[in-house]
Amino acid sequence: MKRSLKIISILIGFGLVSFALAVIVPALQTGLPGKPKVAKINIEGVIRSSGSNGLFSSGINSEKVLNKLEKAQEDKEVGAILLRINSPGGGAVASKEIAEKVKLIEKPVLARIVSQGTSGAYWIASAADKIMADPLSLVGSIGVTSSYLEFSGLFEKYGIEYVRLTSGKYKDIGSQYRNLTEREREILMSKIMKVDEVFKEEVKDNRGLNESQIKEINSSKFYLGIEAKGIDLVDVTGARDETEEMLKETLNVSEIKYKEYEESYSLFDLLFSTFKMDGFKAISRIPKFY
Amino acid sequence: MVDRELRISIGELDKRASLWDRSLAYVLDVFIMLLVIFLPFHYSFKLINNRTPFFETLWLTPLIIFYFAITEKEFGSSLGKMILNLKIKSLKGELKPWQALLRNLTKFSPVLLLIDTINCFLNKDNQRFSEVWAGTKVIKE
């Protein structure tokens, strides 16, 4: 072979190998195709609606969970989703929208309750195909609570007066500067009961609970994982190893590989998240599932 | 006896490659590698994965070593050296594949290559450490 032809052949060969590496390397990094992975999504801390937390604040932002669920749904590498739950619950809307999204996922979804999966967090878990909970974890507390600090007595003591200027008589309902009237209490309670009704109905449908089980959860009490299994609030009790076994069975693989989606924070989140912490949001009229 | 003397005299005629020539040849090789290895990888990766490769470029390291080893074994010098009329000479007869590979092994890391090159300033034939171990030197034709 002529020398120049040989040189060109070698250079083309290197170019082709480079191209092949560009195709192979991503596959090698993420595992070979054909072996589905498990998308692990953490639901840790108080569940909040979008925009209510950032890098330095605690809790979980529902918007970010929704984005991760969408990514996992579209991700061809992902064969199943694991929701790792360790949360006391949170906002009604935030919990509901995550639970609704979980129900729309076409891949198997397993919820693993680590040490706490109560209230809104349980609502989310109930939407999964299977719930696994640690035998000593806290599960349930299916109900709604709304509370706030009321300062009218303190104001009175220091001679501070609350000047009330409203266009409608219930406009400042739930204001922490004055006592609730009986009628206002009734109105707020009716809202709480309405949310409670929707919540319990959803859990009942998601878990296929019978009347006696519904009666049991109506008290909104919490259960240990092992007790929750007895009333079908969870499917299996166990910890990490049992979860992996269940996932292996679901995906028919011998080894579980996880995939996690990183959270992205904007500069705005970075700068202002510290001002949005719990202390600044102690007073709220939005029903919560704590 | 005559043969032996003849060989010695040929050996003495070898002109060692200057550090300047060698450095320039290396820059030319880097440019060639950029064209035939790095750019095809970069653009194909970007096109396929919709993102720029970063750590993934490390996968090209073996190709750098093979580029030098294959061209030096095949043509007696890499393409950059060829342009500047430099040639690899084996001190153990014909250049063997293991020699071509060994003398280029440190090229996977710029730091190692720099340490390896220190010997060029100390050795009378401008040999790198790895060239001494491989029994090769670079000469000007």
Side-chain angles (χ1 to χ4, degrees):
Chain A
M1 200 190 283
K2 264 176 78 179
R3 190 179 163 96
S4 55
L5 197 63
K6 227 174 189 178
I7 292 171
I8 291 167
S9 306
I10 287 173
L11 293 181
I12 291 172
F14 274 110
L16 289 174
V17 173
S18 300
F19 174 75
L21 277 175
V23 179
I24 296 164
V25 165
L28 290 173
Q29 284 175 325
T30 51
L32 293 170
K35 288 185 176 178
K37 290 183 170 184
V38 174
K40 186 155 82 172
I41 299 173
N42 284 315
I43 296 176
E44 195 142 357
V46 177
I47 302 155
R48 301 169 192 280
S49 297
S50 56
S52 57
N53 69 351
L55 186 60
F56 301 113
S57 56
S58 58
I60 186 93
N61 181 323
S62 64
E63 190 65 27
K64 286 181 175 157
V65 176
L66 294 177
N67 288 340
K68 287 178 185 181
L69 285 167
E70 275 167 13
K71 277 183 191 170
Q73 170 64 36
E74 286 162 17
D75 198 330
K76 284 175 186 157
E77 283 180 354
V78 169
I81 299 169
L82 172 67
L83 300 174
R84 189 183 174 278
I85 297 172
N86 193 13
S87 163
V93 175
S95 306
K96 180 178 145 288
E97 62 182 358
I98 296 173
E100 280 175 355
K101 179 61 91 180
V102 169
K103 281 164 80 173
L104 291 175
I105 299 287
E106 287 159 4
K107 295 172 180 175
V109 182
L110 172 68
R112 181 190 162 212
I113 295 171
V114 183
S115 62
Q116 192 174 11
T118 50
S119 245
Y122 182 77
W123 189 344
I124 295 167
S126 74
D129 298 310
K130 290 258 181 202
I131 304 178
M132 173 171 284
D134 189 277
L136 300 181
S137 61
L138 305 180
V139 179
S141 189
I142 301 157
V144 185
T145 178
S146 180
S147 51
Y148 62 95
L149 297 170
E150 199 252 285
F151 300 109
S152 62
L154 189 73
F155 283 6
E156 207 177 314
K157 190 179 172 186
Y158 289 98
I160 301 164
E161 192 186 347
Y162 170 55
V163 180
R164 183 171 180 260
L165 300 165
T166 59
S167 58
K169 64 177 182 176
Y170 297 123
K171 185 65 188 166
D172 67 342
I173 190 169
S175 164
Q176 73 265 37
Y177 307 130
R178 65 175 178 82
N179 273 320
L180 276 179
T181 65
E182 273 311 305
R183 178 64 193 136
E184 286 173 338
R185 187 175 290 275
E186 275 173 26
I187 291 170
L188 286 178
M189 275 308 294
S190 73
K191 308 295 176 203
I192 287 170
M193 292 314 289
K194 187 68 202 167
V195 177
D196 182 74
E197 193 186 315
V198 173
F199 183 11
K200 288 196 168 102
E201 197 59 35
E202 280 289 318
V203 170
K204 181 188 152 193
D205 287 350
N206 291 346
R207 298 291 304 165
L209 301 178
N210 59 36
E211 282 311 310
S212 69
Q213 288 164 327
I214 292 292
K215 214 172 169 184
E216 175 66 32
I217 64 164
N218 264 343
S219 62
S220 301
K221 71 178 178 184
F222 68 85
Y223 307 89
L224 292 177
I226 203 159
E227 295 169 332
K229 168 123 180 24
I231 52 167
D232 284 346
L233 289 185
V234 303
D235 297 293
V236 193
T237 54
R240 196 179 154 185
D241 290 346
E242 287 83 355
T243 309
E244 290 208 345
E245 283 307 315
M246 191 182 260
L247 286 168
K248 278 179 196 170
E249 212 173 279
T250 307
L251 294 175
N252 197 23
V253 291
S254 56
E255 189 192 0
I256 291 294
K257 282 190 175 170
Y258 292 104
K259 183 168 189 177
E260 287 190 64
Y261 302 102
E262 284 174 20
E263 285 185 16
S264 58
Y265 292 98
S266 64
L267 186 63
F268 185 85
D269 288 333
L270 210 66
L271 293 173
F272 298 102
S273 59
T274 45
F275 300 109
K276 298 180 193 167
M277 284 200 216
D278 295 359
F280 292 86
K281 290 179 70 76
I283 301 141
S284 169
R285 278 169 279 173
I286 304 162
K288 288 194 178 79
F289 297 114
Y290 294 112
Chain B
M1 192 66 182
V2 172
D3 186 32
R4 184 185 165 89
E5 281 173 0
L6 186 66
R7 254 192 275 148
I8 290 166
S9 67
I10 289 169
E12 282 169 350
L13 283 172
D14 286 343
K15 191 182 170 192
R16 70 173 183 184
S18 70
L19 284 176
W20 169 248
D21 277 348
R22 293 193 63 177
S23 305
L24 198 61
Y26 186 71
V27 171
L28 287 171
D29 279 322
V30 167
F31 184 71
I32 292 164
M33 283 190 293
L34 193 74
L35 285 179
V36 299
I37 297 174
F38 286 92
L39 291 182
F41 178 82
H42 183 89
Y43 285 109
S44 328
F45 190 96
K46 210 170 167 184
L47 197 72
I48 296 163
N49 303 290
N50 211 17
R51 68 182 172 92
T52 309
F54 186 61
F55 289 113
E56 290 84 0
T57 313
L58 291 173
W59 286 81
L60 298 179
T61 309
L63 289 192
I64 299 169
I65 296 167
F66 284 128
Y67 163 81
F68 283 104
I70 290 171
T71 52
E72 285 175 2
K73 172 71 190 88
E74 201 59 40
F75 310 113
S77 63
S78 65
L79 301 187
K81 290 186 190 83
M82 213 183 278
I83 294 166
L84 292 168
N85 289 325
L86 304 181
K87 203 166 172 64
I88 310 297
K89 189 182 174 184
S90 169
L91 303 174
K92 298 167 182 176
E94 197 189 338
L95 184 71
K96 293 178 184 64
W98 69 265
Q99 285 177 296
L101 200 65
L102 181 61
R103 69 181 303 281
N104 289 303
L105 270 186
T106 55
K107 284 178 184 160
F108 81 91
S109 155
V111 179
L112 276 180
L113 184 62
L114 204 69
I115 296 167
D116 195 20
T117 310
I118 291 171
N119 201 48
C120 288
F121 300 97
L122 311 169
N123 186 285
K124 68 177 173 66
D125 285 326
N126 289 350
Q127 284 172 292
R128 289 183 283 115
F129 284 116
S130 54
E131 288 172 330
V132 175
W133 297 328
T136 62
K137 66 177 180 178
V138 184
I139 55 164
K140 178 94 176 173
E141 280 188 312

